[in-house]
C-alpha cells in the first residue's frame, strides 16, 4: 500500500516508513480489505497526500478517522464525495464558514479545492471498517500520522495547525509552537459545536495569520 504514497511524502517520511510498525500496519489493512469492506478505497487512501505535497502545506486540519458509511470517505478529513449527503460535522463547518466569511456552502461536500491550495486534510487514522467507527484505531496509523505532523512541523515554511476537539489537541506536543500557529477549538460535531466551535472564526484567522507571514491566503470558496 505504501507504494501509493507520493514520492515527495515518501522522502520526508522515510524514517516512519522503515519502522516495523509500518510493515505491520500494511499487513493489517491488507487483511482487513480481504475480509471486510474498508473505507476509503485503496486508491483514495492517500488522497490528502496526492493533492497536497509536503512543500505546499499552508494549513493542516486534523481529523480522527474516516467516515464509515457507504460512499462517504475519499481520503480527506471531513470531506465527502460529490453527491453524498453532508455529514453533521461538515454541515457545521459550512455553517461556520458562512458565519465567519459570509460564504455559502458548495454544491457538495467535497473539500478538494481546499486541499489543492495547501490545506492538508489529515485524519489520524486513514482507514476504517464499514459501519464500525474507530475500528482501525490502535493498529499503527497513529504512529504514521504523528510522523506526518512532525514532518510538516519540521518543514521550511510556517504552517497553521487547526486542532478541533480534545483528540486533535493532544497532538499539539508534536508541533514546534515557536515556528507555527496553532488554532484550537471544540470539534464541529453536533455534540460539541456549540461549546466553542461556532464563533471560533477559523477561516478568517487562518488567512490573517498567513498574510502576516507573507504567505498566500486560502480561497475558502467552494464551487456553487
Amino acid at each position: 500500500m505504501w507504494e501509493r504514497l507520493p514520492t515527495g511524502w515518501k522522502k520526508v517520511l522515510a524514517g516512519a516508513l522503515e519502522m516495523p510498525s509500518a510493515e505491520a500496519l500494511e499487513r493489517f489493512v491488507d487483511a482487513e480489505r480481504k475480509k471486510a469492506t474498508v473505507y476509503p478505497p485503496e486508491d483514495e487512501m492517500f488522497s490528502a497526500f496526492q493533492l497536497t505535497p509536503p512543500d505546499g502545506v499552508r494549513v493542516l486540519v486534523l481529523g480522527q478517522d474516516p467516515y464509515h458509511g457507504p460512499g462517504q470517505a475519499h481520503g480527506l478529513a471531513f470531506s465527502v464525495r460529490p453527491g453524498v449527503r453532508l455529514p453533521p460535522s461538515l454541515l457545521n463547518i459550512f455553517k461556520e464558514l458562512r458565519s465567519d466569511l459570509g460564504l455559502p456552502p458548495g454544491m457538495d461536500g467535497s473539500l478538494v479545492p481546499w486541499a489543492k491550495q495547501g490545506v492538508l486534510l489529515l485524519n489520524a487514522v486513514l482507514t476504517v471498517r464499514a459501519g464500525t467507527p474507530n475500528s482501525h484505531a490502535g493498529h499503527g496509523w497513529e504512529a504514521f500520522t504523528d510522523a506526518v505532523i512532525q514532518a510538516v512541523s519540521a518543514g521550511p515554511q510556517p504552517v497553521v495547525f487547526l486542532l478541533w476537539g480534545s483528540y486533535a489537541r493532544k497532538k499539539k506536543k508534536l508541533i514546534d509552537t515557536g515556528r507555527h500557529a496553532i488554532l484550537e477549538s471544540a470539534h464541529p460535531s453536533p455534540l460539541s459545536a456549540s461549546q466553542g466551535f461556532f464563533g471560533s472564526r477559523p477561516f478568517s484567522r487562518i488567512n490573517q495569520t498567513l498574510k502576516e507571514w507573507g504567505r498566500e491566503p486560502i480561497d475558502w470558496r467552494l464551487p456553487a
Side-chain angles (χ1 to χ4, degrees):
M1 84 185 175
W2 298 116
E3 71 276 1
R4 295 182 179 273
L5 194 65
T7 301
W9 282 107
K10 283 180 183 174
K11 288 180 180 177
V12 300
L13 297 170
L17 295 175
E18 290 169 0
M19 297 290 288
S21 59
E23 185 179 340
L25 172 61
E26 183 172 22
R27 289 197 302 270
F28 167 76
V29 174
D30 286 347
E32 281 284 282
R33 290 194 186 278
K34 287 174 183 174
K35 64 186 179 186
T37 299
V38 171
Y39 300 130
E42 190 169 8
D43 62 345
E44 294 182 312
M45 189 166 48
F46 296 124
S47 291
F49 302 90
Q50 291 158 357
L51 291 167
T52 312
D55 58 359
V57 179
R58 287 186 274 166
V59 180
L60 189 153
V61 180
L62 185 64
Q64 194 161 349
D65 77 326
Y67 297 122
H68 57 272
Q72 291 180 308
H74 65 133
L76 302 177
F78 297 104
S79 178
V80 291
R81 281 196 189 88
V84 175
R85 184 179 178 182
L86 300 187
S89 291
L90 186 55
L91 275 171
N92 286 338
I93 290 170
F94 285 164
K95 286 179 183 177
E96 183 61 19
L97 181 65
R98 183 186 287 275
S99 173
D100 186 4
L101 297 177
L103 296 177
M107 70 175 91
D108 53 51
S110 172
L111 304 182
V112 166
W114 294 357
K116 288 181 175 179
Q117 294 181 73
V119 181
L120 183 64
L121 296 162
L122 179 70
N123 276 318
V125 175
L126 298 187
T127 55
V128 67
R129 187 185 281 213
T132 315
N134 292 316
S135 50
H136 286 188
H139 289 277
W141 277 125
E142 295 88 346
F144 171 73
T145 54
D146 280 359
V148 174
I149 295 168
Q150 290 173 309
V152 172
S153 177
Q157 296 282 355
V159 171
V160 182
F161 289 82
L162 189 55
L163 307 180
W164 285 331
S166 59
Y167 181 89
R169 291 160 109 163
K170 291 176 183 175
K171 305 294 184 177
K172 188 175 179 177
K173 63 182 182 292
L174 304 172
I175 303 164
D176 182 349
T177 55
R179 297 183 56 238
H180 305 286
I182 298 177
L183 301 183
E184 304 176 60
S185 77
H187 194 276
S189 91
L191 297 174
S192 56
S194 61
Q195 299 170 21
F197 173 74
F198 289 136
S200 61
R201 305 190 66 214
F203 308 101
S204 60
R205 292 169 66 198
I206 286 169
N207 278 357
Q208 181 59 38
T209 301
L210 291 171
K211 288 176 185 175
E212 289 171 0
W213 288 337
R215 301 203 74 184
E216 191 73 20
I218 305 298
D219 181 356
W220 297 106
R221 291 174 298 177
L222 293 167

